[in-house]
Structures are given as C-alpha cells and as structure tokens.
Amino acid sequence: MRIDIKSYLNVNHLTIYQVAKTSGYGYTTLHKSFNKQQSKATSLNLRDLDAIARAQHRQMWQVLRDLEEHYLLDD
C-alpha cells in the first residue's frame, strides 16, 4: 500500500513550499520525500507527518487518520 501524498496536498490546497515554510523543515528534504517512489520499506515518515500537521495546525494523528481513510493506494 502507498499513500497518495500529492493528492492530499492538492485537496487541502497545500504546496510543498507552504508545508516547508510553515513547518520549519527544509524544502529540499520534503520535496525529495514527497516525490519519491514509495514501497513497503519507504513509507511516509514521522517528519513528513509532522510537517503536514504543522502546516495545517493539526495533530499528527489527525493527518494520519485522513491519509489512512482517504489516500491509501492498493498496489
């Protein structure tokens, strides 16, 4: 299973730049992470969840719940 992070960002009107700026994480780091091919070994990590949560002023568990409920892709 993979997470469609690009769709999540699009639906929530976020860009990687906005997430980086609001969260304090580096743009290059997030860009590489959000654009990498995900496999079972390289899933979304805690830094990515934290960055998205900070950008939306939400808790990480809320973001994770949304991703699990609406943005999982079957392989």
Side-chain angles (χ1 to χ4, degrees):
M1 301 257 252
R2 295 177 297 127
I3 297 172
D4 188 358
I5 194 65
K6 289 181 182 179
S7 290
Y8 179 85
L9 294 174
N10 189 39
V11 167
N12 288 284
H13 309 290
L14 293 170
T15 64
I16 297 171
Y17 175 76
Q18 290 170 314
V19 172
K21 183 178 177 184
T22 305
S23 69
Y25 291 103
Y27 172 83
T28 303
T29 301
L30 293 177
H31 186 271
K32 285 180 182 178
S33 183
F34 291 165
N35 286 296
K36 71 181 176 189
Q37 280 287 7
Q38 291 180 356
S39 69
K40 290 180 181 172
T42 58
S43 58
L44 196 65
N45 63 43
L46 290 175
R47 178 204 55 232
D48 301 337
L49 283 175
D50 183 47
I52 294 167
R54 287 177 187 230
Q56 294 181 298
H57 307 290
R58 299 175 72 198
Q59 297 293 316
M60 285 174 42
W61 69 265
Q62 293 171 311
V63 173
L64 182 58
R65 181 188 61 207
D66 287 348
L67 290 170
E68 287 179 338
E69 289 178 356
H70 305 290
Y71 297 94
L72 284 182
L73 301 172
D74 290 325
D75 286 340

